[in-house]
C-alpha cells in the first residue's frame, strides 16, 4: 500500500488487479483441490480402497500420509475459494472462464498424479493386483481430455487485460 492508502480504500477501482488472471488461478486451485480431496481421496483412497497416497510402508504410515494429503487438498480448495471471493469484490465473475479453470485444475492434478506419483516416484499405483495398462490409459487419457477441455474453455473466454471494475464477456 502506498502512502495515504488505508483499509477504507475502495479496491473495486484498483486498476492494477488483473481479474481474468485471478479468476483462472482461483478456478485452477479449486479444481486441483477438488481432484485431490474429493475424487482421488474419497473415491480411490477411502471408497474403493485401491491405494493410499504413500503405499511403500505400513498401513499406519499410509493412513497418516492420506491425512496430510487430505489436509493439503482442502487447503488448496479453500485457497481457490478465497481467491474467488477476492475476484467477486472487484468485478463480476466470468463463470464460464472460472468453470474452465476448474476443469483445467482437475485435469492437471490427475495428470500430475498419474505421471509423477504413479510412474516417476512410484509412491502408489491406481490399483494393485491387476493389469495396470487399462487403468493407466483411462486415468491419463481422462486427465489429458479434461485438461484440454478446460484449457479450451479458458482460451475461448479470454478477456484481454480485464482489470478491476470491468465487466467480462
Amino acid at each position: 500500500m502506498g502512502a495515504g492508502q488505508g483499509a477504507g480504500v475502495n479496491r473495486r477501482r484498483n486498476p492494477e488487479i488483473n481479474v481474468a488472471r485471478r479468476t483462472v488461478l482461483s478456478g485452477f486451485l479449486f479444481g486441483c483441490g477438488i481432484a485431490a480431496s474429493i475424487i482421488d481421496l474419497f473415491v480411490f483412497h477411502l471408497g474403493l480402497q485401491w491405494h493410499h497416497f504413500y503405499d511403500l510402508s505400513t498401513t499406519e504410515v499410509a493412513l497418516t500420509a492420506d491425512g496430510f494429503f487430505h489436509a493439503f487438498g482442502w487447503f488448496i480448495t479453500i485457497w481457490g475459494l478465497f481467491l474467488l471471493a477476492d475476484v467477486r469484490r472487484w468485478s463480476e465473475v466470468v463463470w464460464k472462464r472460472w468453470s474452465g479453470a476448474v476443469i483445467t485444475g482437475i485435469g492437471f492434478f490427475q495428470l500430475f498424479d498419474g505421471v509423477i506419483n504413479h510412474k516417476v516416484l512410484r509412491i502408489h499405483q491406481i490399483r494393485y493386483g491387476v493389469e495396470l495398462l487399462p487403468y493407466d490409459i483411462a486415468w491419463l487419457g481422462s486427465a489429458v481430455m479434461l485438461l484440454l477441455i478446460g484449457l479450451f474453455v479458458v482460451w475461448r473466454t479470454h478477456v484481454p487485460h480485464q482489470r478491476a471494475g470491468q465487466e467480462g464477456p
Side-chain angles (χ1 to χ4, degrees):
M1 275 186 216
Q5 293 180 342
V9 173
N10 183 354
R11 293 186 63 173
R12 288 185 183 271
R13 297 180 190 255
N14 185 345
E16 299 304 314
I17 304 305
N18 188 320
V19 174
R21 186 174 296 148
R22 281 184 182 252
T23 300
V24 170
L25 180 59
S26 165
F28 179 80
L29 290 172
F30 184 80
C32 285
I34 290 301
S37 297
I38 303 281
I39 298 169
D40 196 26
L41 190 77
F42 284 155
V43 174
F44 294 100
H45 296 210
L46 300 174
L48 297 171
Q49 297 181 0
W50 282 0
H51 66 256
H52 296 284
F53 179 72
Y54 184 75
D55 277 338
L56 302 177
S57 188
T58 65
T59 301
E60 291 80 16
V61 170
L63 291 173
T64 301
D66 279 353
F68 283 114
F69 175 66
H70 190 65
F72 180 72
W74 280 114
F75 173 77
I76 291 173
T77 304
I78 299 302
W79 183 11
L81 290 175
F82 270 100
L83 279 174
L84 178 62
D86 201 33
V87 167
R88 291 190 66 173
R89 288 188 331 183
W90 292 322
S91 179
E92 291 292 320
V93 176
V94 180
W95 291 107
K96 286 182 182 179
R97 186 171 183 80
W98 188 80
S99 298
V102 169
I103 295 167
T104 301
I106 292 170
F108 174 83
F109 173 83
Q110 193 169 323
L111 186 62
F112 179 87
D113 183 44
V115 172
I116 302 301
N117 292 336
H118 298 181
K119 300 304 171 197
V120 174
L121 298 177
R122 296 186 167 276
I123 59 175
H124 68 258
Q125 293 298 326
I126 297 172
R127 190 171 182 187
Y128 294 96
V130 298
E131 172 59 39
L132 284 177
L133 184 61
Y135 289 92
D136 287 338
I137 290 170
W139 188 266
L140 296 174
S142 62
V144 169
M145 184 176 63
L146 287 167
L147 187 61
L148 292 175
I149 290 169
L151 288 171
F152 177 75
V153 171
V154 169
W155 174 74
R156 290 280 296 163
T157 58
H158 176 70
V159 179
H161 308 296
Q162 182 186 2
R163 299 290 183 185
Q166 296 177 340
E167 296 294 321

